[in-house]
């Protein structure tokens, strides 16, 4: 009641959000694929990515927080305050290598699919794109995951965690933004945290100022 009287109540358009179902399903499936992978080698390369998939999602907490979810900005809003992770929190979550002499630049959109295709050794990766080309269908990538082994299997699992857990966008879709972050990490071992958070803050400020637009990826 205090939230209602003080103004931080459920937004009318937030009622359109679909019901919260089994939030652990995607992460459990990714963990299952991880069983036949060299865990030590994966940890040395990707640090805490797999540990993130093992964190249990508390449905009651999410149901409470959804009342503060702003579907326009795709973040939690408390009055005029937008809630997003700090650099320290993101750093603790992913533990990416921190090279002070390398700067993360997002990959050009026309290079994402070709670079990803080379890394995963999947030809005709364009066929995996959603109709609106915002990202790749995970169910199709998962079929390829069942066929792969060794390094290629590790890379597909890492891509899945990037796209479905770390930088989620649309259910069952690995967004091109998340794929770009994965490719740059795979090729250059660059920590993207500072750039991602800077873009998050700039985007939120822009949306507030112009009263239009939404967050893409990294939500």
């Amino acid at each position: 009641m205090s939230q209602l009287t003080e103004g931080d109540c459920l937004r009318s358009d937030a009622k359109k959000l679909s019901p919260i179902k089994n939030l652990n399903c995607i992460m459990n499936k990714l963990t299952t694929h991880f069983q036949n992978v060299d865990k030590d080698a994966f940890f040395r390369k990707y640090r805490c990515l797999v540990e993130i998939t093992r964190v249990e999602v508390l449905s009651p907490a999410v149901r409470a927080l959804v009342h503060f979810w702003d579907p326009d900005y795709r973040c939690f809003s408390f009055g005029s305050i937008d809630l997003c992770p700090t650099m320290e929190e993101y750093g603790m979550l992913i533990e990416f290598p921190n090279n002070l002499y390398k700067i993360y630049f997002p990959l050009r959109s026309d290079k994402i699919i070709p670079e990803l295709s080379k890394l995963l050794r999947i030809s005709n990766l364009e066929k995996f794109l959603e109709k609106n080309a915002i990202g790749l269908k995970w169910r199709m990538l998962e079929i390829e995951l069942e066929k792969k082994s060794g390094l290629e299997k590790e890379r597909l699992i890492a891509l899945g965690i990037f796209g479905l857990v770390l930088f989620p966008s649309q259910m069952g879709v690995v967004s091109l933004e998340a794929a770009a972050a994965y490719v740059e990490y795979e090729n250059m071992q660059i920590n993207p945290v500072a750039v991602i958070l800077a873009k998050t803050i700039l985007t939120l400020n822009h949306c507030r100022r112009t009263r239009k637009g939404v967050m893409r990826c990294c939500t």
Side-chain angles (χ1 to χ4, degrees):
M1 287 302 297
S2 65
Q3 297 299 333
L4 289 171
T5 56
E6 292 172 14
D8 290 338
C9 59
L10 181 66
R11 291 171 56 95
S12 58
D13 48 0
K15 293 176 182 177
K16 298 175 184 177
L17 290 171
S18 58
I20 299 170
K21 295 181 180 178
N22 184 1
L23 300 174
N24 294 301
C25 180
I26 291 174
M27 295 196 285
N28 287 340
K29 289 186 74 175
L30 284 168
T31 305
T32 302
H33 290 304
F34 186 68
Q35 291 174 356
N36 299 321
V37 169
D38 185 335
K39 297 175 180 58
D40 292 333
F42 194 94
F43 177 79
R44 285 194 299 272
K45 187 171 184 180
Y46 300 110
R47 306 302 293 175
C48 284
L49 280 192
V50 171
E51 295 305 316
I52 291 173
T53 67
R54 293 177 179 149
V55 175
E56 183 181 358
V57 178
L58 302 176
S59 298
V62 176
R63 288 194 182 94
L65 279 169
V66 79
H67 290 276
F68 304 97
W69 176 253
D70 191 321
D72 292 336
Y73 303 130
R74 294 188 182 181
C75 69
F76 295 104
S77 293
F78 299 86
S80 60
I81 299 171
D82 296 319
L83 182 66
C84 62
T86 65
M87 193 175 298
E88 291 79 9
E89 288 167 340
Y90 235 115
M92 286 295 291
L93 271 174
I94 57 181
E95 285 192 2
F96 281 152
N98 188 14
N99 190 324
L100 299 177
Y101 302 100
K102 290 182 178 180
I103 299 174
Y104 174 76
F105 291 101
L107 199 63
R108 273 176 37 186
S109 58
D110 60 326
K111 291 189 174 182
I112 296 172
I113 296 299
E115 288 293 325
L116 197 59
S117 182
K118 283 193 290 185
L119 285 171
L120 303 178
R121 293 188 181 178
I122 299 175
S123 57
N124 301 319
L125 196 58
E126 297 85 359
K127 294 181 179 179
F128 291 43
L129 284 168
E130 281 282 314
K131 289 181 181 178
N132 52 7
I134 63 165
L136 299 160
K137 300 173 185 175
W138 175 247
R139 58 184 173 80
M140 295 182 69
L141 289 170
E142 201 168 25
I143 293 171
E144 292 294 323
L145 182 56
E146 298 287 351
K147 305 174 187 175
K148 300 289 185 181
S149 61
L151 183 60
E152 292 164 18
K153 190 178 186 74
E154 291 177 10
R155 286 175 173 172
L156 263 170
I157 292 172
L159 174 64
I161 299 173
F162 263 77
L164 304 177
V165 182
L166 195 57
F167 305 133
S169 180
Q170 185 175 313
M171 183 66 75
V173 175
V174 175
S175 72
L176 292 182
E177 292 92 343
Y182 164 74
V183 169
E184 284 297 276
Y185 180 75
E186 188 71 42
N187 287 339
M188 304 296 292
Q189 291 286 289
I190 297 176
N191 186 346
V193 169
V195 173
I196 288 168
L197 291 182
K199 288 189 73 175
T200 299
I201 294 168
L202 287 171
T203 303
L204 287 172
N205 287 340
H206 174 78
C207 291
R208 285 276 186 191
R209 188 171 62 253
T210 61
R211 296 187 177 184
K212 63 181 180 180
V214 297
M215 294 288 294
R216 284 288 304 277
C217 184
C218 310
T219 56

